[in-house]
Amino acid sequence: MVKDSAIIISGGLDSTTLLHYHKERIGLAISFDYGSRHNERELECARWQCEILGIPHIIIPLEFMGKYFTSSLLKGGAKIPKGSDYSEDNMHSTVVPFRNGIMLSIACGLAESKCLKHVMMANHGGDHAIYPDCRPEFTAAMNEAMTKGTYAGVSLIDPFTFLTKGEIISIGKKLGVDYSHTYSCYCGGKNHCGNCGTCRERKQAFIDAGIPDPTIYE
Amino acid sequence: MVKDSAIIISGGLDSTTLLHYHKERIGLAISFDYGSRHNERELECARWQCEILGIPHIIIPLEFMGKYFTSSLLKGGAKIPKGSDYSEDNMHSTVVPFRNGIMLSIACGLAESKCLKHVMMANHGGDHAIYPDCRPEFTAAMNEAMTKGTYAGVSLIDPFTFLTKGEIISIGKKLGVDYSHTYSCYCGGKNHCGNCGTCRERKQAFIDAGIPDPTIYE
């Protein structure tokens, strides 16, 4: 199969599943280091997953986000909300303004530079309520901007937009994805805290999918 | 007037004019250092213009563009086309893939972080043929993506989309803009070369507007 796509990979459950799902089409995997508390652990996992698939992986540093942007997800920001679920009120402070727009734009420019026709992103249904830049209205408009703003008409592939996290890891299970090398915890410790919104969401996804959870929680 | 907007400013004729045009609304001016040959001289001019208006100015470094992107505009790229006009064939090599998409996305995230409602950009009619990410189809889609992808519905203001460079500096003349502190030359020398596509376009704009050209050419 022709390698025609770049992918945005965080090292979490969703983008790792997408990486394996389309591994034969992916010519470049792109991670972003935007100064979040959990970036280091995530990026290790992203690197590991790309290495076992033999997919070139680059990390784009975005220091300006930590310096100028407002979010509890960034170092120096407020505390990550704890001991509650992944609901809108609880997780609102973790929004990094227009993060997906920024990552998609850079990935789009890289794709055009490397003669790749598509950018893949693993936004999914569970994020729609909290993050406006994960919703289908946003991805549709962004796809249009990317297509119109490039010579090659680079387009966005986001096959998980209407899936739940449980459905996504059910796909990954069939593909043989090793989820012990993925990271979700917003607190950024060596092991998952098991208690923040994303850890709770992670646990629930394995329960929903009926798959044993390989994660070590504190 | 309420300061409700961020602006993308390069230090060239167009964005400098827009800065003066909307000076009372602009709460933050953003320049990007993407490793182009002419960035240093441009950024000096952007800083000067913001200083005389008392508008906060930040420079966002985008080193990854110089490292991974393909364009003659970037250091290490092919030579800038010389001795010809600002036509499509001649200037195609100077395209930095999806540059306006990247700058707008970052400016959009910054605007949302700083509680500003709009991002201003000085794309104009003369660039449509060469740069897909200057065309109205692109800016309309990008505006939609920004609005849908942010809580505040940040929108794009691009009032020069259908103006020529001559018409833009006619506006600036009325506003008293000092164009000796703007920079256009893609070659990046201390003075404008007078011979590259953008220098020729700059000269022509002053002729079209019937305004004396304050530029020192080599």
Side-chain angles (χ1 to χ4, degrees):
Chain A
M1 195 175 275
V2 179
K3 296 209 182 289
D4 63 359
S5 301
I7 187 173
I8 297 172
I9 178 162
S10 67
L13 296 173
D14 315 306
S15 60
T16 299
T17 306
L18 187 56
L19 181 81
H20 284 262
Y21 189 66
H22 279 310
K23 63 186 177 194
E24 291 174 359
R25 292 179 64 177
I26 297 170
L28 180 66
I30 307 162
S31 295
F32 293 90
D33 185 352
Y34 48 89
S36 75
R37 299 168 195 266
H38 62 302
N39 247 178
E40 203 176 314
R41 292 282 295 116
E42 272 194 331
L43 294 176
E44 271 172 36
C45 292
R47 193 180 306 117
W48 189 93
Q49 297 285 354
C50 290
E51 260 178 31
I52 59 156
L53 295 174
I55 292 171
H57 177 232
I58 60 173
I59 297 171
I60 305 286
L62 300 176
E63 293 97 343
F64 63 86
M65 281 198 173
K67 191 168 176 187
Y68 296 115
F69 281 48
T70 313
S71 170
S72 72
L73 206 59
L74 302 173
K75 287 168 188 160
K79 273 200 170 172
I80 296 287
K82 274 253 188 186
S84 186
D85 63 351
Y86 193 72
S87 68
E88 183 160 4
D89 282 355
N90 192 45
M91 297 302 287
H92 191 117
S93 76
T94 67
V95 171
V96 179
F98 212 56
R99 175 176 43 177
N100 282 349
I102 294 167
M103 296 197 300
L104 280 172
S105 294
I106 294 172
C108 176
L110 280 165
E112 174 118 308
S113 279
K114 307 291 182 198
C115 300
L116 298 167
K117 301 289 184 197
H118 312 286
V119 174
M120 296 179 174
M121 185 170 73
N123 57 302
H124 63 92
D127 282 339
H128 295 177
I130 305 160
Y131 301 109
D133 60 352
C134 290
R135 293 176 196 152
E137 309 89 271
F138 163 75
T139 53
M142 199 66 207
N143 176 54
E144 180 81 1
M146 290 162 57
T147 305
K148 292 289 194 288
T150 50
Y151 279 98
V154 173
S155 66
L156 172 59
I157 295 177
D158 56 340
F160 297 165
T161 298
F162 295 102
L163 299 187
T164 65
K165 237 177 161 63
E167 290 167 332
I168 292 169
I169 61 172
S170 296
I171 294 171
K173 174 74 177 167
K174 289 179 205 148
L175 297 169
V177 176
D178 181 350
Y179 285 115
S180 71
H181 291 275
T182 61
Y183 190 82
S184 306
C185 178
Y186 271 177
C187 297
K190 183 173 179 299
N191 294 321
H192 286 74
C193 80
N195 199 28
C196 69
T198 44
C199 275
R200 283 164 181 258
E201 191 204 23
R202 181 182 175 100
K203 284 180 183 171
Q204 190 59 47
F206 283 103
I207 293 167
D208 292 347
I211 296 169
D213 185 346
T215 315
I216 300 166
Y217 296 102
E218 287 296 341
Chain B
M1 193 175 274
V2 179
K3 295 207 182 291
D4 63 359
S5 301
I7 187 173
I8 298 173
I9 178 162
S10 66
L13 296 173
D14 314 306
S15 60
T16 299
T17 306
L18 187 56
L19 180 82
H20 285 261
Y21 189 68
H22 279 309
K23 63 186 176 194
E24 292 174 359
R25 293 180 64 178
I26 297 171
L28 180 66
I30 307 162
S31 295
F32 294 90
D33 185 352
Y34 48 88
S36 75
R37 300 170 194 266
H38 62 302
N39 247 177
E40 201 175 316
R41 291 282 295 114
E42 272 194 332
L43 294 176
E44 271 173 37
C45 292
R47 193 179 307 119
W48 190 93
Q49 296 286 353
C50 291
E51 261 178 30
I52 59 157
L53 295 174
I55 292 172
H57 178 233
I58 61 174
I59 297 172
I60 305 285
L62 301 176
E63 293 97 344
F64 64 84
M65 280 199 175
K67 192 167 173 188
Y68 296 116
F69 281 48
T70 313
S71 170
S72 71
L73 207 59
L74 302 173
K75 286 168 190 161
K79 273 198 171 173
I80 297 286
K82 273 254 186 186
S84 186
D85 64 352
Y86 194 72
S87 67
E88 183 160 3
D89 284 354
N90 192 45
M91 297 303 286
H92 190 118
S93 76
T94 67
V95 172
V96 179
F98 212 57
R99 174 175 43 175
N100 281 349
I102 294 167
M103 296 195 300
L104 280 172
S105 295
I106 295 171
C108 176
L110 281 164
E112 175 117 307
S113 279
K114 308 289 182 198
C115 301
L116 299 167
K117 302 286 185 200
H118 312 286
V119 175
M120 296 180 174
M121 185 171 73
N123 57 302
H124 63 91
D127 282 340
H128 295 177
I130 303 159
Y131 301 110
D133 60 352
C134 290
R135 294 177 195 150
E137 309 90 270
F138 163 75
T139 53
M142 198 67 209
N143 175 54
E144 181 81 3
M146 290 162 57
T147 306
K148 293 290 195 287
T150 49
Y151 280 98
V154 173
S155 67
L156 172 60
I157 296 177
D158 56 339
F160 297 165
T161 297
F162 295 102
L163 300 188
T164 65
K165 239 179 161 65
E167 289 166 334
I168 292 169
I169 60 174
S170 295
I171 294 170
K173 174 75 177 169
K174 289 178 205 148
L175 297 168
V177 176
D178 181 350
Y179 285 116
S180 71
H181 291 276
T182 61
Y183 190 81
S184 307
C185 178
Y186 271 176
C187 297
K190 183 173 181 300
N191 294 319
H192 285 73
C193 80
N195 199 27
C196 70
T198 44
C199 273
R200 284 166 180 256
E201 190 204 24
R202 180 180 176 100
K203 283 180 183 172
Q204 190 60 46
F206 283 102
I207 293 168
D208 292 346
I211 295 169
D213 185 345
T215 315
I216 300 167
Y217 296 102
E218 288 296 340

